Amino acid sequence: MTEPAEITDPAERAMILSEDGWGRIIALIAAADGDISGAEDALSTALERAVTAWRAQGPPSNPEGWLYRVALNARRDVWRSAAARTSTALDEETIDRIDAGTDPAHHDPDALPDRRLELLAACAHPDIDPPARPLLMLSAVMGMTAKQIAAAMALPAATVSARLTRAKKRVAGLGVAFGSPDRLDLESRLPDVHETIYGAFAIEWTQAAAQPREGMIGEALYLSRLVAELCPGDGESHGLAALIHLSAARFPARRRGDGRFVPLSDQNPDRWDGTLTEAGERHLVEVHRCGHVGRFGLEAAIQLLHMAGIRTGSTDWPMLLRLHDDLAQVAPSLGGSVSRAAVLAEVDGPEAGLAAIDALGFDPDGQDDKRVSAFQPAWVLRAHLLTRLGRTDEAATARRRALDLTTDPAEREYLSAGLT
């Protein structure tokens, strides 16, 4: 039997099915037996059939429902095949229940209320290698391709693909129990779930052009709210929701009407989404009520303080530096360190900010393979600080390096303007 060809090109797949739609269908089908690869193969079969059928007849009124039904039928054929009957315990009652479209979550008070959230928790199973968990969740549930994940995580695409393959084989070996995590499982696996929801949002944020695909931004907002509702006493769940809502609120101001890029410092706060901003502020209040401020809560507080400074015209840089110091203690990261260097430059001057970047192991010549030398924001900040110090030739070199690492056309145009 020839396996269906996987539709991996994001543009090609997006013509038929959004990433959030991909995750919904995979979650529904994989919940039956925990076979993510099998669910993906079934959906790939449905996508292939859609290309032919929809070109000839036009898309149906409910494209996602059409794809789900075709994928489910393809998977059902596998379940009922003689080969599958010798290797899986899936019984006729389970097949008929799924075939009828009945969601067991409606009948189990301890079940999670969303199949995607259930599959996220399942992908964080303790028997799956920790480094592979976020890759598996981003791929299977959030609909990201290996190429997208690799670019976002600064990993070789071949490495991501190999880890995904191993993780899916491990999932298949876990059996049907894989697909049945409850609220207690979710609570114990929250860190991985948090990272994946934010990772999907961050990938969409950096790769979106003039406007994000509403599906993925909307899914990240929805899932972050859902996790906070299910775990109301967990400060980091509220911190995640606060960070995503505050970030999404600023999206309309990131581009001018002609599509030109607008950095945060130049954004018009009147263009921020007030509803999302208020929701983010409410979740941040809940963070403090819970009494635990972690990485996401700190990042949300940093975000809100920046926004407040833009609104009032006066930013509390010393407080921002303290928050960054706290963040470095809780969750040190390259991005956080570069952001701290930018804040330090506002507090103690550009020389201090430049020294902080160099202390990270930054190679101004870009000759080594350290992550910091391939990290675009580090070069952008370096160019900015060198310009402030009047070191124009060095600033131009840094800006060119930043341009080489920039994939967003609008941001490239913005950086190019500084070279003229």
Side-chain angles (χ1 to χ4, degrees), residues 155-374:
L155 292 171
T159 299
V160 172
S161 295
R163 289 181 182 176
L164 284 171
T165 299
R166 288 195 298 269
K168 289 173 185 177
K169 288 181 179 178
R170 180 57 183 153
V171 166
L174 292 173
V176 177
F178 167 86
S180 306
D182 58 19
R183 292 172 191 258
L184 291 177
D185 291 323
L186 173 64
E187 292 176 3
S188 67
R189 303 172 191 178
L190 277 175
D192 287 316
V193 173
H194 289 159
E195 288 291 341
T196 299
I197 294 173
Y198 183 70
F201 177 84
I203 291 172
E204 181 66 18
W205 176 271
T206 57
Q207 295 186 359
Q211 289 293 333
R213 291 183 294 278
E214 293 182 359
M216 185 49 61
I217 294 293
E219 287 304 295
L221 286 165
Y222 165 72
L223 289 172
S224 71
R225 286 194 301 267
L226 182 58
V227 172
E229 290 171 5
L230 290 173
C231 306
D234 182 68
E236 270 294 77
S237 292
H238 288 289
L240 173 68
L243 180 59
I244 289 181
H245 281 74
L246 291 172
S247 299
R250 295 191 294 102
F251 205 97
R254 292 178 73 216
R255 299 286 188 272
R256 300 189 191 279
D258 58 4
R260 284 185 295 168
F261 173 77
V262 183
L264 175 59
S265 58
D266 294 336
Q267 288 179 10
N268 179 1
D270 291 338
R271 296 194 64 196
W272 294 340
D273 187 306
T275 300
L276 291 178
T277 301
E278 290 175 4
E281 292 173 345
R282 288 195 300 272
H283 281 291
L284 199 50
V285 169
E286 289 299 305
V287 171
H288 293 283
R289 181 191 63 79
C290 291
H292 170 68
V293 184
R295 170 203 163 184
F296 292 115
L298 287 168
E299 290 187 1
I302 289 170
Q303 182 106 224
L304 188 60
L305 203 53
H306 273 298
M307 294 169 73
I310 292 170
R311 283 198 189 93
T312 63
S314 177
T315 300
D316 189 343
W317 295 110
M319 176 57 76
L320 276 171
L321 185 57
R322 286 195 290 274
L323 289 172
H324 275 287
D325 288 340
D326 290 341
L327 181 60
Q329 291 294 320
V330 172
S333 69
L334 178 57
S337 296
V338 172
S339 295
R340 182 187 179 278
V343 173
L344 184 63
E346 298 297 331
V347 175
D348 294 335
E351 296 93 343
L354 202 57
I357 290 227
D358 289 340
L360 297 174
F362 191 92
D363 177 10
D365 298 322
Q367 297 301 311
D368 63 12
D369 59 355
K370 294 179 180 178
R371 288 186 64 204
V372 68
S373 294

Side-chain angles (χ1 to χ4, degrees), residues 90-111:
L90 203 66
D91 55 24
E92 290 292 335
E93 181 181 351
T94 302
I95 295 173
D96 292 340
R97 183 198 71 210
I98 296 170
D99 191 38
T102 302
D103 186 351
H106 294 164
H107 307 291
D108 182 356
D110 293 322

Side-chain angles (χ1 to χ4, degrees), residues 27 59 78 103 135 147 216 223 301 326 375 385:
V78 174
D103 186 351
L135 308 183
K147 183 178 180 180
M216 185 49 61
L223 289 172
D326 290 341
F375 190 54
L385 296 179

Side-chain angles (χ1 to χ4, degrees), residues 5-218:
E6 182 181 4
I7 298 179
T8 57
D9 180 70
E12 181 181 358
R13 198 171 72 187
M15 293 175 61
I16 303 174
L17 181 66
S18 64
E19 287 166 342
D20 56 306
W22 173 276
R24 277 193 291 269
I25 295 174
I26 293 296
L28 284 168
I29 296 176
D33 61 357
D35 189 344
I36 292 176
S37 293
E40 289 177 333
D41 286 345
L43 183 50
S44 292
T45 297
L47 287 166
E48 289 178 346
R49 294 176 183 173
V51 170
T52 302
W54 296 3
R55 282 176 180 169
Q57 306 168 9
S61 57
N62 182 5
E64 190 173 308
W66 189 98
L67 288 166
Y68 171 63
R69 178 53 53 187
V70 173
L72 184 61
N73 286 339
R75 191 68 188 133
R76 183 185 58 189
D77 290 343
V78 174
W79 287 332
R80 286 176 169 156
S81 69
R85 300 297 280 171
T86 65
S87 60
T88 179
L90 203 66
D91 55 24
E92 290 292 335
E93 181 181 351
T94 302
I95 295 173
D96 292 340
R97 183 198 71 210
I98 296 170
D99 191 38
T102 302
D103 186 351
H106 294 164
H107 307 291
D108 182 356
D110 293 322
L112 301 180
D114 186 286
R115 280 299 191 191
R116 287 160 296 168
L117 188 56
E118 179 176 292
L119 190 53
L120 282 174
C123 287
H125 194 286
D127 286 345
I128 299 173
D129 289 339
R133 293 171 194 166
L135 308 183
L136 186 58
M137 289 187 274
L138 286 169
S139 171
V141 188
M142 309 307 285
M144 300 288 181
T145 66
K147 183 178 180 180
Q148 286 176 303
I149 298 169
M153 294 189 170
L155 292 171
T159 299
V160 172
S161 295
R163 289 181 182 176
L164 284 171
T165 299
R166 288 195 298 269
K168 289 173 185 177
K169 288 181 179 178
R170 180 57 183 153
V171 166
L174 292 173
V176 177
F178 167 86
S180 306
D182 58 19
R183 292 172 191 258
L184 291 177
D185 291 323
L186 173 64
E187 292 176 3
S188 67
R189 303 172 191 178
L190 277 175
D192 287 316
V193 173
H194 289 159
E195 288 291 341
T196 299
I197 294 173
Y198 183 70
F201 177 84
I203 291 172
E204 181 66 18
W205 176 271
T206 57
Q207 295 186 359
Q211 289 293 333
R213 291 183 294 278
E214 293 182 359
M216 185 49 61
I217 294 293

Side-chain angles (χ1 to χ4, degrees), residues 383 386-400 418-419:
L386 288 168
T387 299
R388 287 179 59 183
L389 291 169
R391 295 158 61 176
T392 54
D393 289 344
E394 293 174 83
T397 299
R399 195 177 295 271
R400 289 190 185 94
L419 292 172

